[in-house]
């Protein structure tokens, strides 16, 4: 049912070849005037709102969304769209609270932002933590999902799948930096929208349209808010646990925020963040609905994670199956390309320039960034293979739980640093060291040592993330109250103060309209 290889025709191969040629042409054209140094990593601060929005969405989508959203749509309905729609609150937080401070401080990385306030030790610790987070949450999870799809399509082992995929995705980040990645992602995401919309249209046509869709699904499939007794997605777990990952994911993650740091100005950055919030509304018709329709057309799948591939291999007509391979490449190049660029930026700016070779010229800086991309590719392959060994959770829960265990220390330190002047270096550094060991150690126990499918004493993974967040927040507040500020903080207290630019009227209108739309959507699907 899911074997697409036997269905490929000369037309399909032609589609893939044309796509690859177009992708390479766009990449070569956008990287013809190569920037060096910091401009290589931040596109010379030239990104407009639409480039920022599409690039952030491309970083966020990935093969994992195609797989995971279709899987949850098949088994549970639309509840998983909370993880995209609820995000508008935290994207708003990025746009109006965090982004103005990031841009006004003139930093190139988020560890550099924290280092300006708390000192070089904090910058170094956060840089290493950020590198681990990007390696796991962006590169490895994205690669794992891409390899999972390729394994379904071609039946080849995971290690072969991820090796080929990361090699392709790394080319553009290596050659052109953020400017090239951003331009490619505009093309990629428009293609994703068109192909995904076609798949949804074909599915709806097969089941008799919207009426057939509603008539053939359980009532609970159309509810965003599940009762507290729901074992998979109780309302309190989403309401309390998801914000921890969302704050870390959207507001403190270099891979997501780097596009905003590359904005022409604050207005373009804030409108770009608003644009991705609008794009996230499309998750329901483009991704979740695929799984719901699959539930109607192909009930009783032995493995719900096959929902996406079951749809594409059975609905796309002969000659268009190549579009599936094209979309797979598109979302993988989008996510991995952006992530590799961010990984190389943090290592080069916060580790290499800070501790190894502070006098490096722009050409050396760019070359070190490219070497980092190669190392990141190799490491992400190994972690993706390890993730493939996790048992007992569906794909969506694997992705969300891993993010949930990485997120608490980052969410706490950035919230305290931005919202509370009393926060000090001792608290931040403790949370980044002890807090990271506690949070990541809990994740290892939950996912590998005492897996949830064997040991039933675990709470919901979202609530576990929330409990870790609360514990670390209390610890950070206590340390800040009991321990005085360091000499660095006292000496740089005045230098750190920055003037925050007020949002432009267009920004206020864009966010105001979005809030109204999101409230209406939640009321409709409550």
């Amino acid at each position: 049912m899911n074997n697409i290889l036997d269905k490929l025709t000369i037309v399909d191969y032609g589609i893939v070849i044309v796509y690859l040629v177009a992708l390479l042409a766009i990449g070569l054209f956008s990287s013809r005037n190569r920037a060096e140094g910091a401009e290589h990593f931040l596109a010379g601060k030239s990104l407009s709102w639409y480039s920022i929005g599409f690039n952030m969405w491309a970083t966020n989508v990935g093969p994992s969304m195609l797989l995971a959203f279709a899987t949850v749509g098949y088994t549970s309905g639309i509840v998983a769209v909370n993880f995209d729609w609820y995000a508008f609150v935290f994207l708003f937080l990025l746009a109006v609270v965090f982004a103005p401070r990031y841009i006004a401080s003139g930093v190139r990385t988020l560890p550099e932002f924290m280092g300006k306030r708390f000192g070089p030790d904090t910058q170094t610790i956060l840089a290493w933590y950020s590198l681990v987070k990007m390696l796991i949450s962006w590169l490895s999870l994205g690669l794992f999902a891409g390899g999972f799809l390729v394994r379904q399509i071609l039946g080849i082992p995971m290690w072969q799948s991820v090796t080929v995929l990361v090699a392709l995705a790394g080319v553009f980040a290596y050659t052109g930096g953020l400017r090239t990645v951003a331009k490619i992602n505009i093309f990629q995401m428009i293609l994703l929208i068109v192909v995904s919309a076609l798949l949804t249209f074909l599915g709806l046509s097969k089941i008799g349209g919207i009426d057939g869709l509603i008539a053939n699904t359980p009532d609970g499939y159309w509810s965003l808010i599940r009762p507290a007794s729901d074992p998979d997605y109780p309302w309190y777990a989403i309401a309390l646990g998801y914000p921890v990952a969302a704050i870390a994911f959207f507001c403190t993650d270099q891979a997501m925020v780097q596009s905003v740091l590359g904005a022409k100005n604050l207005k373009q950055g804030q409108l770009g963040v608003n644009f991705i919030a609008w794009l996230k509304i499309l998750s329901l018709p483009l991704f979740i609905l695929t799984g719901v329709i699959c539930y109607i057309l192909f009930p009783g799948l032995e493995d719900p994670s096959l929902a996406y591939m079951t749809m594409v291999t059975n609905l796309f007509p002969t000659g268009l199956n190549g579009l599936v391979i094209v979309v797979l490449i598109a979302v993988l190049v989008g996510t991995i390309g952006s992530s590799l660029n961010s990984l190389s930026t943090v290592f080069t700016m916060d580790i290499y320039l800070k501790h190894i070779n502070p006098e490096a010229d722009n050409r050396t800086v760019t070359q070190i960034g490219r070497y980092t991309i190669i190392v990141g590719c190799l490491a992400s392959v190994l972690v993706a293979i390890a993730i493939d060994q996790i048992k007992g959770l569906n794909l969506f829960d694997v992705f969300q739980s891993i993010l949930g265990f990485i997120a608490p220390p980052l969410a706490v330190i950035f919230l305290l640093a931005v919202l509370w002047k009393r926060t000090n270096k001792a608290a931040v550094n403790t949370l980044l060291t002890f807090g990271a060991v506690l949070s990541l150690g809990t994740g290892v126990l939950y996912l590998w040592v005492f897996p949830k499918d064997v040991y039933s004493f675990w709470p919901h993974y979202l609530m576990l993330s929330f409990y870790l967040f609360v514990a670390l927040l209390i610890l950070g507040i206590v340390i800040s109250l009991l321990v005085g500020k360091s000499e660095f903080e006292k000496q740089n207290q005045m230098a750190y103060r920055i003037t925050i630019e007020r949002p432009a009227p267009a920004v206020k209108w864009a966010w105001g309209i979005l809030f109204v739309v999101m409230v209406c959507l939640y009321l409709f699907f409550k």
Side-chain angles (χ1 to χ4, degrees):
M1 179 180 289
N2 300 303
N3 186 0
I4 196 175
L5 188 60
D6 295 337
K7 298 182 179 181
L8 295 180
T9 67
I10 188 66
V11 176
D12 295 308
Y13 289 111
I15 289 173
V16 174
I17 292 172
V18 169
Y19 163 75
L20 291 174
V21 170
L23 193 64
L24 289 171
I26 294 172
L28 291 172
F29 179 78
S30 61
S31 62
R32 67 193 187 285
N33 296 320
R34 295 184 181 180
E36 301 288 351
E39 287 196 1
H40 174 81
F41 301 106
L42 294 179
K45 290 188 174 293
S46 63
L47 299 184
S48 300
W49 64 268
Y50 56 88
S51 294
I52 295 167
F54 274 127
N55 196 51
M56 291 180 71
W57 199 45
T59 305
N60 187 198
V61 173
S64 58
M65 184 171 290
L66 297 180
L67 276 173
F69 272 4
T71 302
V72 179
Y74 186 92
T75 59
S76 305
I78 70 168
V79 64
V81 84
N82 277 299
F83 292 86
D84 259 13
W85 286 7
Y86 191 12
F88 84 96
V89 176
F90 309 102
L91 287 167
F92 177 74
L93 193 66
L94 168 62
V96 302
V97 176
F98 288 93
R101 289 165 173 80
Y102 294 155
I103 292 177
S105 63
V107 297
R108 297 159 296 187
T109 69
L110 301 190
E112 183 184 357
F113 173 79
M114 297 295 278
K116 279 194 170 186
R117 178 170 175 183
F118 300 112
D121 291 344
T122 300
Q123 182 175 348
T124 301
I125 297 171
L126 181 56
W128 283 112
Y129 192 82
S130 298
L131 290 172
V132 172
K133 181 180 186 296
M134 283 186 284
L135 176 64
I136 297 174
S137 63
W138 291 113
L139 291 170
S140 301
L141 282 176
L143 263 187
F144 165 71
F148 192 92
L149 276 174
V150 171
R151 185 167 61 187
Q152 289 183 3
I153 295 172
L154 303 179
I156 61 177
M158 174 65 73
W159 72 269
Q160 293 181 9
S161 303
V162 296
T163 300
V164 173
L165 291 173
V166 77
L168 176 63
V171 169
F172 300 105
Y174 182 93
T175 56
L178 181 60
R179 191 192 308 271
T180 298
V181 170
K183 288 187 177 180
I184 286 173
N185 283 340
I186 295 175
F187 166 67
Q188 305 268 61
M189 292 304 100
I190 292 174
L191 179 65
L192 172 64
I193 291 172
V194 172
V195 176
S196 298
L198 175 60
L199 181 60
T200 300
F201 173 77
L202 293 173
L204 286 173
S205 300
K206 194 88 170 179
I207 63 175
I210 298 296
D211 292 337
L213 178 69
I214 296 174
N216 290 284
T217 50
D219 293 338
Y221 267 45
W222 301 105
S223 176
L224 285 172
I225 302 173
R226 295 295 181 87
S229 58
D230 187 274
D232 297 318
Y233 304 104
W235 68 266
Y236 64 86
I238 294 176
L240 297 176
Y242 173 70
V244 179
I247 291 170
F249 191 78
F250 295 114
C251 302
T252 77
D253 189 285
Q254 182 73 25
M256 286 298 290
V257 176
Q258 186 151 339
S259 297
V260 180
L261 297 179
K264 291 179 179 178
N265 50 51
L266 177 60
K267 178 182 177 182
Q268 293 297 311
Q270 291 174 320
L271 289 175
V273 177
N274 177 263
F275 184 41
I276 184 185
W278 284 102
L279 289 171
K280 280 181 165 294
I281 296 176
L282 298 177
S283 294
L284 177 58
L286 297 185
F287 309 130
I288 299 282
L289 211 56
T290 299
V292 178
I293 295 172
C294 187
Y295 169 82
I296 298 172
L297 291 176
F298 307 99
L301 282 182
E302 184 177 342
D303 184 359
S305 64
L306 297 175
Y308 180 78
M309 285 308 303
T310 299
M311 286 286 287
V312 297
T313 54
N314 285 276
L315 294 188
F316 273 126
T318 301
L320 290 182
N321 288 298
L323 289 174
V324 180
I325 299 174
V326 163
V327 166
L328 170 61
I329 297 172
V331 295
L332 188 85
V333 169
T335 297
I336 303 303
S338 299
S339 305
L340 286 171
N341 185 65
S342 300
L343 186 84
S344 65
T345 303
V346 170
F347 179 81
T348 305
M349 297 298 172
D350 296 310
I351 304 297
Y352 181 78
L353 275 179
K354 200 75 176 178
H355 301 286
I356 300 175
N357 187 6
E359 305 301 323
D361 57 25
N362 284 340
R363 185 173 182 180
T364 302
V365 166
T366 304
Q367 197 59 46
I368 292 298
R370 288 173 174 153
Y371 292 153
T372 305
I373 287 172
I374 296 173
V375 174
C377 289
L378 297 174
S380 60
V381 168
L382 298 177
V383 179
I385 294 172
I387 293 172
D388 191 39
Q389 304 305 311
I390 297 175
K391 309 298 180 184
L393 291 174
N394 66 43
L395 283 172
F396 187 78
D397 289 344
V398 168
F399 301 145
Q400 293 300 327
S401 60
I402 289 177
L403 294 176
F405 293 122
I406 295 173
L410 286 173
V412 171
I413 66 166
F414 274 86
L415 284 175
L416 287 177
V418 168
L419 300 179
W420 194 35
K421 293 181 180 180
R422 187 70 177 266
T423 306
N424 59 26
K425 174 182 176 180
V428 170
N429 287 4
T430 300
L431 293 173
L432 281 174
T433 51
F434 167 75
V437 171
L438 174 65
S439 191
L440 294 176
T442 302
V444 170
L445 292 176
Y446 180 88
L447 292 169
W448 283 283
V449 181
F450 302 109
K452 184 180 181 296
D453 63 324
V454 178
Y455 299 89
S456 59
F457 57 80
W458 291 106
H460 194 283
Y461 66 86
L462 288 174
M463 291 307 298
L464 195 53
S465 179
F466 176 72
Y467 297 147
L468 288 167
F469 172 82
V470 172
L472 294 178
L473 180 63
I474 294 172
L475 178 62
I477 292 173
V478 170
I479 294 175
S480 295
L481 292 174
L482 295 180
V483 180
K485 292 185 179 294
S486 65
E487 286 301 316
F488 179 91
E489 291 172 276
K490 293 176 182 177
Q491 295 172 6
N492 290 271
Q493 188 171 3
M494 296 302 296
Y496 174 74
R497 292 185 178 179
I498 52 181
T499 302
I500 305 300
E501 183 180 342
R502 296 176 65 86
V507 173
K508 295 178 181 178
W509 274 103
W511 281 103
I513 295 170
L514 177 66
F515 266 79
V516 172
V517 170
M518 294 310 302
V519 169
C520 291
L521 285 172
Y522 265 89
L523 289 175
F524 184 79
F525 288 105
K526 65 180 179 179

